[in-house]
Amino acid sequence: MTELLAGPIADRHTALGASFAEFGGWNMPVSYAGTVAEHNAVRSTVGIFDVSHLGKALVAGPGAAGFVNATLTNDLGKIEPGKAQYTLCCNERGGVIDDLIAYLAGDDEVFLVPNAANTAAVVAALRAVAPEGIEITDQHRDYAVFAVQGPQSADVLAALDLPTDMEYMAYRDARIVLSGAELEIQVCRSGYTGEHGYEVLPRWDDAGAVFDALLAEVTARGGQPAGLGARDTLRTEMGYALHGHELSVDITPVQARSSWAVGWDKPSFFGREALVAERAAGPARRLYGLKATGRGVPRADCTVHVEAGGEQIGVCTSGTFSPTLKQGIALAFIDTASGVKKGDEVVVDVRGRALTCEVVLPPFVESHV
């Protein structure tokens, strides 16, 4: 049995009374005060997540940005240094090896933040085609990542003299003074909750001091530490994809409604030929949202049918109780041949019980990013 990896502040989570579970090979805090309470804190005030399990990789060398742009799907040419961009690393069939954030530092440097379990695969895919002079360095344990999310997130950072006035998906290098020591830190106006928020990246060895300072300001405003459970309910309400659920090596961005993260006019990126062909022909399945119209909660792997006991036309990839809407919601792939569209009703088989759901397009709640 492989031993689970631990982040830099596991002792803090234990002291805060967190429950833990495995995620992507890491021992992750699932909740502290309870998922619903943490979810509501992020929507109404502010919460802080430790997502230091996320991967980090540096692509550096002459023309590094051009190299990344020729491999990952989104068009780095549309942003300028100091901005970050959501992008995808695909295989030759157009399936998604991983979705990640690319921080553009300049022509010769791009910092990547992939998902924890897929970091090695992304690094390997880039190294396999990297020209001489381009170095791809796995920096997984060089930096921690804390996500401060919610309406009062800017107040938390401002109290520590950290920058807050960036545009969405812009970042800044900054410094924070704690106990007389000046620590380097990076702050990005981003997140995975649908709320105004920031992702703060200190060095791994500085993580404890930075987390303590951020948590103190969060709790001073009535906020809470939040775990993996709330992260999942928040992102599901927004319809944000989770790799292994709405994206995978067998699911393409065309199917997952992530075509906006593809630079279709670029001459080159991994999987381009397959994706262009699928886009032209139309995908065999598309991602939709489902809202339960009765009592019940659809879950991942529940099958979707035109009617109770009828033909299967899809499958749920994520499902949860929405604390904001107070009803069951799900993300599901539905066969295009079924003719099902937004506004239709379908039936989800929840452990043998028929649950009627309305077909919608996410997000389920309003975005405040």
Side-chain angles (χ1 to χ4, degrees):
M1 182 176 176
T2 303
E3 185 177 351
L4 293 180
L5 300 171
I9 60 165
D11 58 331
R12 264 78 168 178
H13 298 310
T14 299
L16 288 166
S19 60
F20 292 86
E22 184 275 337
F23 183 77
W26 292 70
N27 195 30
M28 294 286 294
V30 175
S31 68
Y32 307 84
T35 293
V36 172
E38 294 159 23
H39 177 112
N40 290 336
V42 172
R43 290 277 184 248
S44 62
T45 53
V46 63
I48 180 170
F49 302 81
D50 176 14
V51 287
S52 300
H53 68 297
L54 291 173
K56 304 99 190 171
L58 181 67
V59 183
F67 165 69
V68 170
N69 206 31
T71 54
L72 304 185
T73 61
N74 215 334
D75 189 353
L76 271 181
K78 292 182 178 179
I79 66 171
E80 57 193 27
K83 291 287 187 71
Q85 185 183 68
Y86 178 82
T87 190
L88 306 163
C89 180
C90 290
N91 58 27
E92 62 182 12
R93 295 176 288 107
V96 180
I97 296 170
D98 199 23
D99 61 329
L100 59 158
I101 303 294
Y103 289 70
L104 179 61
D107 291 342
D108 300 335
E109 183 177 319
V110 182
F111 182 68
L112 304 176
V113 180
N115 286 291
N118 300 328
T119 301
V122 170
V123 169
L126 294 176
R127 282 178 177 166
V129 296
E132 185 175 355
I134 298 292
E135 295 290 332
I136 298 103
T137 307
D138 188 335
Q139 297 186 327
H140 210 144
R141 289 181 175 270
D142 289 359
Y143 301 94
V145 186
F146 303 128
V148 181
Q149 302 283 301
Q152 296 188 38
S153 56
D155 296 336
V156 169
L157 269 65
L160 297 171
D161 294 324
L162 291 172
T164 62
D165 59 348
M166 302 87 80
E167 295 179 356
Y168 182 58
M169 295 300 282
Y171 72 90
R172 286 190 197 165
D173 295 323
R175 294 178 183 274
I176 184 172
V177 178
L178 299 173
S179 302
E182 190 175 65
L183 310 178
E184 294 181 353
I185 202 164
Q186 191 176 78
V187 180
C188 186
R189 254 277 285 126
S190 61
Y192 194 52
T193 65
E195 296 299 327
H196 187 104
Y198 303 85
E199 293 191 338
V200 177
L201 285 74
R203 293 199 172 274
W204 189 271
D205 293 341
D206 297 335
V210 173
F211 180 81
D212 291 345
L214 290 168
L215 180 61
E217 295 298 337
V218 166
T219 55
R221 288 160 178 78
Q224 298 184 22
L228 199 66
R231 190 165 179 259
D232 193 56
T233 56
L234 289 157
R235 71 95 191 168
T236 303
E237 286 186 346
M238 294 307 302
Y240 291 160
L242 176 63
H243 196 274
H245 292 251
E246 291 74 43
L247 294 169
S248 76
V249 292
D250 297 314
I251 301 172
T252 71
V254 178
Q255 298 163 19
R257 297 188 188 274
S258 297
S259 293
W260 57 271
V262 178
W264 295 105
D265 293 334
K266 295 196 306 179
S268 164
F269 54 84
F270 292 156
R272 185 181 188 278
E273 185 175 339
L275 289 174
V276 168
E278 183 181 39
R279 185 192 190 202
R285 57 181 177 174
R286 293 294 297 272
L287 188 68
Y288 284 91
L290 303 178
K291 271 188 186 179
T293 56
R295 292 173 62 87
V297 179
R299 300 291 184 182
D301 299 324
C302 287
T303 54
V304 183
H305 305 260
V306 175
E307 57 188 9
E311 176 189 3
Q312 180 181 336
I313 59 166
V315 63
C316 296
T317 50
S318 296
T320 190
F321 174 78
S322 163
T324 304
L325 300 177
K326 296 180 171 52
Q327 67 185 129
I329 60 173
L331 298 172
F333 282 102
I334 295 178
D335 298 340
T336 52
S338 69
V340 168
K341 59 187 182 304
K342 176 185 174 183
D344 289 346
E345 282 195 343
V346 294
V347 171
V348 176
D349 185 333
V350 182
R351 298 179 181 177
R353 177 176 173 267
L355 177 63
T356 302
C357 295
E358 179 190 359
V359 178
V360 300
L361 293 178
F364 295 95
V365 300
E366 185 180 354
S367 172
H368 299 108
V369 297

